[in-house]
Amino acid sequence: MPKLKVSLLTGRTVDQGVGKEHGKLSEEYQESVAICHMDPEDIKSLGIRENENVKIITNFGSVVLRLVKSPTAPHPKIVFIPYGPWASLVMNPETHGTGMPSLKGIPAEIEPALEERVSSMLDLLEEHYKRE
């Protein structure tokens, strides 16, 4: 299976803000944040297509997201995930005393995840944040 080493960036987007207005349990919100923006040439190198699923793996976790072509390409080997619960699974939780985790330049690996699904918000909360 092809894999690509990338640098992961996270941040806010207009679509994320609009999606949040529909509610964080809404389909609009999930569609705006459970995605990974990637350079079109990197998408080709993985042998996948836009709207297929990919898995992002960092030292802090992994998550399956829907792949979209980056609107700001070219930027080879740099991927972007909007802020949200899906991005939180792969970010460095260390805040170094600032109260903010590391949100930019996280070493990551990305691979096709054609047989895996993107977790819904409720499934994600159940799988990763449920208290026993």
Side-chain angles (χ1 to χ4, degrees):
M1 177 181 305
K3 295 181 180 181
L4 186 65
K5 291 188 183 298
V6 296
S7 181
L8 171 62
L9 307 176
T10 62
R12 298 195 189 287
T13 68
V14 171
D15 290 340
Q16 172 209 20
V18 171
K20 196 162 59 173
E21 291 299 316
H22 291 276
K24 289 192 171 182
L25 296 178
S26 71
E27 189 173 320
E28 290 86 353
Y29 180 71
Q30 179 171 329
E31 288 181 5
S32 70
V33 298
I35 58 175
C36 174
H37 295 250
M38 190 173 188
D39 185 277
E41 293 302 316
D42 289 343
I43 293 173
K44 284 182 192 172
S45 75
L46 286 177
I48 54 179
R49 295 179 292 194
E50 186 170 32
N51 294 316
E52 292 184 333
N53 293 342
V54 292
K55 181 182 277 186
I56 307 289
I57 305 157
T58 70
N59 287 340
F60 314 104
S62 66
V63 67
V64 175
L65 300 166
R66 183 173 58 86
L67 179 66
V68 297
K69 287 182 186 174
S70 173
T72 59
H75 49 71
K77 297 189 173 71
I78 296 174
V79 298
F80 176 83
I81 303 174
Y83 289 156
W86 291 266
S88 295
L89 293 175
V90 291
M91 289 193 293
N92 183 351
E94 178 59 50
T95 65
H96 306 286
T98 66
M100 284 293 289
S102 298
L103 305 170
K104 312 285 187 219
I106 302 163
E109 194 167 71
I110 187 166
E111 65 186 31
L114 304 179
E115 303 299 322
E116 298 185 55
R117 68 177 183 82
V118 176
S119 295
S120 70
M121 174 68 95
L122 292 177
D123 288 346
L124 194 83
L125 294 173
E126 179 82 19
E127 293 167 16
H128 298 282
Y129 299 104
K130 182 179 180 183
R131 291 187 180 172
E132 296 296 324

